[in-house]
Amino acid sequence: MENRLKNKKTDSPDVWTAVQHLQKAIAAGGVDPKLLALVHLRASQINGCSACVHASVAGGKKAGDTDERLHTVAAWREAPFYTDAERAALALAEAATRLQDGAPGVTDEIWEEVNAHFTEEQIGAINLEIALTNFFNRINRTIKEPAGRTWG
């Protein structure tokens, strides 16, 4: 796959400053970086963003997660490797990412489960991670960003 955007220097520095502020807000939310990487990975898998799948696996490994957990997150419901809190966050990530016509979105049941495991500040960080992941997934799919590149 070849990137459609030939000159990335046309990117606005204001956009990247805003993204950095969002990433700082997510980090300040008190959520385990391993969980954030799992959320990022699952949303990116759903959206078919190879660049973000690659980046989130690397981020998860850097945060100390295992290959076993990273490789089975696509089947997290059937895999025994995740805590109840992680399962709640993954369900939220899936529901918030799948907003196509007719999808139920984030149900009250999903929201109640998330609230049972996280503080409001943590939920805010998880929601922001999901939104930012979907933002990057859409940009990367549009410009055909290949997996394996580094940003920054």
Side-chain angles (χ1 to χ4, degrees):
M1 182 165 61
E2 188 174 329
N3 192 316
R4 289 177 170 155
L5 190 60
K6 304 301 180 210
N7 181 4
K8 292 189 180 183
K9 293 182 179 172
T10 60
D11 291 343
S12 169
D14 290 340
V15 171
W16 293 112
T17 299
V19 167
Q20 288 173 337
H21 285 290
L22 291 171
Q23 290 171 328
K24 285 180 185 177
I26 292 166
V31 178
D32 184 344
K34 289 190 293 188
L35 184 137
L36 293 173
L38 290 174
V39 164
H40 186 91
L41 176 56
R42 187 63 193 120
S44 298
Q45 289 171 334
I46 291 166
N47 289 324
C49 180
S50 67
C52 285
V53 167
H54 184 272
S56 54
V57 168
K61 289 180 101 166
K62 184 178 178 183
D65 217 333
T66 65
D67 286 338
E68 183 176 59
R69 287 167 39 89
L70 293 166
H71 291 305
T72 58
V73 75
W76 62 268
R77 285 180 179 84
E78 293 80 24
F81 312 123
Y82 308 99
T83 67
D84 289 343
E86 289 168 336
R87 292 174 185 284
L90 289 166
L92 179 65
E94 287 185 357
T97 297
R98 291 184 168 134
L99 295 178
Q100 71 274 18
D101 294 339
V106 179
T107 64
D108 290 340
E109 180 180 271
I110 291 170
W111 191 253
E112 288 169 12
E113 190 65 21
V114 168
N115 270 288
H117 296 283
F118 301 101
T119 66
E120 284 196 12
E121 184 177 27
Q122 290 172 318
I123 294 169
I126 294 167
N127 277 327
L128 192 52
E129 178 67 28
I130 295 164
L132 190 58
T133 299
N134 279 283
F135 169 80
F136 278 121
N137 291 167
R138 279 148 181 78
I139 289 172
N140 288 335
R141 289 289 310 267
T142 300
I143 66 169
K144 292 189 171 183
E145 182 71 27
R149 295 255 174 101
T150 57
W151 301 281

